Amino acid sequence: MKSLSAKNNNPAGLPGKKTSSVRTLTEENQRLRDENVRYARYIREKTNQLLEVMGTQPLRPEEFDDSELLSLDPIGIIAGSFAQVYEYLNQTISDLSEARDELQAIFDATGVGISIIDQDFAIIKCNEKQRELLVDKQMDNVCGSYCYEVYCLKNGPGLDCPAVDTFATGRPVVVNEVRKKDKYFQLVTTPYARDEQGAVTRVIEVALDITARKKAEEEERRQRGFYLAEKSKLASVLQSLSEGLLVTDSRNRIISINGAALQILDLSQKQAQKLKINELFTDCPPEARTIFDVDTPEAFQNFEILFRSDNRELLLSVNAVPLFDGDGDTIGRVFTFRDITEEKHRQEVFHRTEKLAAVGQLSAGIAHELNTPLGSILGYARLLLKGDNLLPEQQERLSIIAEQAKKSGVIIRELLNFSRLSVQPPDRTITCDLNQVAVEAIKVLQTELDKRFITAKLDLFVLPAVTADPKRLEQVFVNIVLNSAQAIGSNGEINIASQCSEHEAQITVRDSGPGIPPEDLSRIFDPFFTTKPVGQGTGLGLSICAGIINDYGGAIDVRNAPGGGTIFTIILPLTGEAHGQ
Amino acid sequence: MADMQKIQLDILGQVCPACLLVVLREMNIHRQQLKNGETQLIIKTDHRDTTRTIPESARKMGYDVEVRNLETYYEITIGKK
């Protein structure tokens, strides 16, 4: 300060009282000067203190003298600045408080449980969700309690506790599934605070309740298990079915087939999976093939279809139903089928036998009733013929009567023979060699065959004995071979072949004739059915053959050979296997 | 902001703490305008220590501070955050 203003300025050189007054004023002036210096120093010191708080250097004396310092008013300036700092701090505190409230609201409102845990596994803080999920309702305050006691009901941190890992490694840890108090959680722990050495001192643990998802997964697993078990059960049932089962898709492709179907159709699984069902039944008439088409809405029951494959010909009884999805749309068809070839054959044999028995009984009655009058007609015709007074015309007419009566007698005998077969039980004590019987039959017919230039070829496999009367069997062979010879006419071949299975002997007679019209095949063993001109056959020959074979528990069948001609097949049970029919 | 008032404060040749006191005085005088973002205080100084003390103090008061090192001096801009 270059000058200080004094309240009383005493001019020099005044006498007496005035001198005393000047001195007093001078002293007062000095006192005020000293005070002024002290105040300036005080202000400078306080200014320096404040500047130090502001983080800068103290005032240097050369920078501002006392007068400049006072006029600058540094304390006022710094006070003004402090007021701004104070205002800003208040604003910041208010913002932080608001932010803290927002954070707390988010902390509590979030759908996951959140805890802050210290190194001793004491809970520092937890949100409402965490309390709701894992804290007993009776507990008012969990802060300071051990998390393993409150959340896990354990005496210490478990091996599956991710917080242990986070404290140890300093890294976040995710555990996808932890069970706590009958609930399942996905846990994430992440470092929250570290000490000066960088060690984690607090972690945040976030717990997501996955109990509902877990239960849904378990339910799904249970349902899947149930579904798989049911599927396996169903597959076993389908596989164990004796009926064939086939499922096709919307493009008629086979998508499922059971073992019985593969066996009946003689297919491998691999072959079947590549096929469209229509390709399996190529020989079916078009109207029959519609049952296989996915576009056919109807169901079919016991639909009989002929299935041909290589040299096999099977009669199948097929059931077909449409397959629907959940919306009721057709997505394919389900077929079940069985091979009824044998069943059909047995039915035919049974009907034939029934027919034979009925006709046999009828024939026996008629033959018996006709035999006596016919004998009388023949006897009297012969007696009259012995007379010598007959005109030639009368003699001729009587001869015709006698001849026709004799022919009728033959028919009557055949009828009686047929009826005896039908009603008399066979003798089951006699056994014979089927091959030998065939050889004997050919010997009997050799002259007839030679006359027709027909060669008989035998391809015989050694056969065990069958239970049958060789004489009656010979009658069968003679009848069949003679039929074949008559069918051939002249120049041809008859092949007789035998073979044997575990329980049966089989012999086939194949001729090179024209074959039998398909419409006649089913009637060929019917009594009185003949294709020969009237008067040339009784139609009883093959009926008698069928009767004899049936009597011995066997079967006789006829079919046209693929290359032409007819094949008769005779099957007889081996001795010990025979059973009556 | 096109109509922002820019107050230039040339304290070249001055050192701390005088610089700081001068700047603080200006900030007190124009406090309201600075807070509202109507005014920016642009200070020219060649005293290096000032580039520390002024921004520190201004930030504590809630202002945004930018320091640019120009060829022969520093330019400190103080304005609304």
Side-chain angles (χ1 to χ4, degrees):
Chain A
M1 193 182 286
K2 291 176 182 171
S3 65
L4 283 172
S5 57
K7 285 179 182 173
N8 298 302
N9 197 3
N10 186 26
L14 290 176
K17 192 178 177 181
K18 282 185 182 174
T19 307
S20 165
S21 178
V22 167
R23 195 168 49 245
T24 305
L25 284 172
T26 304
E27 284 170 6
E28 180 67 12
N29 188 19
Q30 188 57 48
R31 192 182 60 78
L32 287 172
R33 280 171 189 268
D34 292 345
E35 271 187 7
N36 231 352
V37 169
R38 273 204 312 279
Y39 290 146
R41 191 185 303 129
Y42 177 77
I43 288 168
R44 190 177 288 275
E45 279 173 10
K46 292 300 157 193
T47 302
N48 283 340
Q49 272 184 3
L50 291 170
L51 286 171
E52 197 178 341
V53 173
M54 295 294 284
T56 189
Q57 301 155 355
L59 288 166
R60 285 181 286 275
E62 68 274 13
E63 221 168 346
F64 297 108
D65 59 22
D66 288 350
S67 172
E68 285 170 332
L69 187 69
L70 288 176
S71 65
L72 183 66
D73 186 18
I75 292 175
I77 292 170
I78 293 169
S81 298
F82 277 1
Q84 288 201 59
V85 171
Y86 179 70
E87 186 187 350
Y88 181 59
L89 277 176
N90 274 344
Q91 182 60 46
T92 306
I93 287 166
S94 168
D95 290 349
L96 281 174
S97 175
E98 201 176 315
R100 188 197 59 196
D101 291 346
E102 277 177 16
L103 211 58
Q104 184 65 43
I106 294 167
F107 189 67
D108 286 335
T110 184
V112 294
I114 302 173
S115 303
I116 299 171
I117 295 161
D118 74 8
Q119 276 171 306
D120 299 325
F121 297 94
I123 300 166
I124 304 297
K125 196 172 183 181
C126 81
N127 71 346
E128 281 306 311
K129 186 68 182 177
Q130 181 77 355
R131 291 183 68 87
E132 182 190 318
L133 289 172
L134 284 168
V135 179
D136 290 339
K137 292 200 168 31
Q138 293 82 359
M139 279 190 86
D140 289 333
N141 185 18
V142 294
C143 293
S145 303
Y146 292 116
C147 63
Y148 46 79
E149 286 180 352
V150 177
Y151 299 155
C152 305
L153 303 177
K154 289 180 180 172
N155 296 325
L159 292 172
D160 54 356
C161 175
V164 174
D165 282 352
T166 298
F167 279 125
T169 63
R171 282 198 284 270
V173 175
V174 178
V175 178
N176 285 323
E177 191 181 309
V178 173
R179 192 169 177 178
K180 292 183 179 186
K181 295 186 174 176
D182 295 330
K183 288 181 180 156
Y184 292 93
F185 295 91
Q186 186 182 51
L187 294 184
V188 181
T189 52
T190 189
Y192 169 61
R194 294 176 190 267
D195 62 14
E196 287 167 359
Q197 284 76 42
V200 178
T201 54
R202 287 179 179 183
V203 297
I204 294 181
E205 183 180 278
V206 178
L208 174 65
D209 184 4
I210 56 166
T211 311
R213 192 177 83 193
K214 178 84 182 162
K215 282 186 177 165
E217 280 173 4
E218 276 174 6
E219 178 61 16
E220 189 188 330
R221 205 163 27 244
R222 193 190 66 75
Q223 283 186 2
R224 185 184 292 272
F226 176 75
Y227 163 76
L228 287 175
E230 287 299 306
K231 192 180 167 189
S232 161
K233 227 186 280 178
L234 186 63
S236 302
V237 169
L238 295 183
Q239 282 304 325
S240 65
L241 281 179
S242 60
E243 286 205 344
L245 182 132
L246 253 170
V247 182
T248 56
D249 65 7
S250 58
R251 293 163 66 183
N252 295 322
R253 288 178 307 195
I254 296 170
I255 52 170
S256 183
I257 186 165
N258 75 345
L262 292 171
Q263 197 177 4
I264 293 169
L265 302 173
D266 192 22
L267 287 174
S268 69
Q269 186 82 30
K270 206 173 168 185
Q271 286 171 320
Q273 295 288 2
K274 289 179 182 171
L275 283 174
K276 283 191 168 183
I277 189 159
N278 299 340
E279 293 167 352
L280 277 176
F281 298 92
T282 46
D283 289 341
C284 286
E287 64 273 16
R289 294 176 73 178
T290 57
I291 77 159
F292 299 118
D293 197 338
V294 72
D295 294 328
T296 305
E298 297 92 2
F300 293 89
Q301 290 282 322
N302 302 320
F303 196 95
E304 290 184 7
I305 278 184
L306 205 58
F307 170 73
R308 288 199 182 93
S309 163
D310 299 330
N311 291 324
R312 295 186 319 141
E313 192 174 271
L314 300 178
L315 187 64
L316 303 180
S317 172
V318 181
N319 294 336
V321 290
L323 183 66
F324 302 109
D325 65 8
D327 299 328
D329 295 328
T330 307
I331 53 167
R333 276 177 96 70
V334 179
F335 301 93
T336 53
F337 55 90
R338 59 196 176 89
D339 177 6
I340 56 165
T341 317
E342 187 62 25
E343 186 182 318
K344 202 78 179 170
H345 176 71
R346 285 188 192 285
Q347 270 179 9
E348 280 171 12
V349 169
F350 176 74
H351 287 141
R352 196 161 65 214
T353 310
E354 292 273 289
K355 223 183 313 183
L356 282 172
V359 172
Q361 282 182 341
L362 183 68
S363 305
I366 294 169
H368 184 75
E369 291 301 319
L370 287 179
N371 210 23
T372 311
L374 207 56
S376 301
I377 291 168
L378 184 60
Y380 281 113
R382 282 178 175 163
L383 193 64
L384 285 172
L385 274 170
K386 283 180 182 170
D388 48 6
N389 56 345
L390 293 175
L391 293 173
E393 297 84 23
Q394 289 173 321
Q395 198 162 23
E396 190 184 341
R397 285 168 190 158
L398 279 172
S399 297
I400 290 170
I401 290 171
E403 191 185 330
Q404 291 304 316
K406 196 176 168 187
K407 267 191 184 174
S408 301
V410 171
I411 294 171
I412 295 289
R413 269 202 304 281
E414 279 195 21
L415 269 176
L416 281 172
N417 189 21
F418 173 72
S419 64
R420 260 200 306 278
L421 284 170
S422 306
V423 294
Q424 285 177 357
D427 187 347
R428 297 197 186 281
T429 58
I430 308 167
T431 61
C432 67
D433 177 357
L434 208 50
N435 289 339
Q436 190 57 41
V437 173
V439 170
E440 291 301 326
I442 293 298
K443 277 184 191 169
V444 170
L445 292 168
Q446 196 59 55
T447 312
E448 178 68 18
L449 295 175
D450 290 347
K451 201 164 71 184
R452 292 173 179 268
F453 302 102
I454 293 170
T455 314
K457 289 186 177 172
L458 299 172
D459 179 16
L460 303 174
F461 180 83
V462 177
L463 298 174
V466 295
T467 303
D469 181 346
K471 293 223 175 309
R472 295 182 75 189
L473 280 189
E474 191 181 308
Q475 189 184 350
V476 172
F477 279 101
V478 167
N479 220 323
I480 289 172
V481 174
L482 193 58
N483 254 293
S484 293
Q486 286 168 349
I488 292 167
S490 63
N491 290 308
E493 199 173 282
I494 294 175
N495 293 287
I496 300 177
S498 67
Q499 56 180 310
C500 176
S501 69
E502 196 180 345
H503 304 292
E504 295 169 335
Q506 178 182 307
I507 195 153
T508 54
V509 178
R510 176 178 179 165
D511 65 51
S512 60
I516 299 169
E519 63 272 19
D520 291 343
L521 273 173
S522 61
R523 301 171 62 203
I524 205 82
F525 296 108
D526 285 358
F528 307 114
F529 177 80
T530 178
T531 56
K532 292 172 189 166
V534 179
Q536 288 188 21
T538 59
L540 287 171
L542 288 175
S543 294
I544 291 168
C545 292
I548 292 169
I549 297 300
N550 285 334
D551 280 347
Y552 292 115
I556 184 166
D557 195 17
V558 64
R559 68 181 193 276
N560 284 322
T566 307
I567 300 174
F568 280 90
T569 305
I570 295 166
I571 295 169
L572 282 167
L574 301 178
T575 299
E577 303 283 346
H579 55 280
Q581 288 210 341
Chain B
M1 214 178 283
D3 54 351
M4 175 168 306
Q5 189 190 358
K6 292 186 176 177
I7 299 170
Q8 304 284 340
L9 198 59
D10 185 346
I11 51 170
L12 290 169
Q14 292 194 45
V15 295
C16 271
C19 292
L20 180 64
L21 287 170
V22 170
V23 171
L24 291 178
R25 186 180 60 191
E26 290 302 318
M27 286 169 69
N28 288 341
I29 292 165
H30 302 292
R31 171 181 174 173
Q32 210 53 52
Q33 295 94 314
L34 284 167
K35 289 273 179 201
N36 294 342
E38 297 160 5
T39 300
Q40 270 189 337
L41 199 55
I42 298 166
I43 303 138
K44 279 184 182 177
T45 177
D46 50 5
H47 182 55
R48 192 161 170 267
D49 205 26
T50 311
T51 60
R52 179 183 63 81
T53 55
I54 291 173
E56 269 181 13
S57 301
R59 285 184 184 121
K60 279 174 189 162
M61 286 182 257
Y63 294 110
D64 196 20
V65 184
E66 187 190 4
V67 180
R68 290 201 299 154
N69 187 359
L70 301 177
E71 274 188 24
T72 55
Y73 61 92
Y74 300 99
E75 185 183 84
I76 301 171
T77 306
I78 296 170
K80 190 192 171 189
K81 226 171 201 176

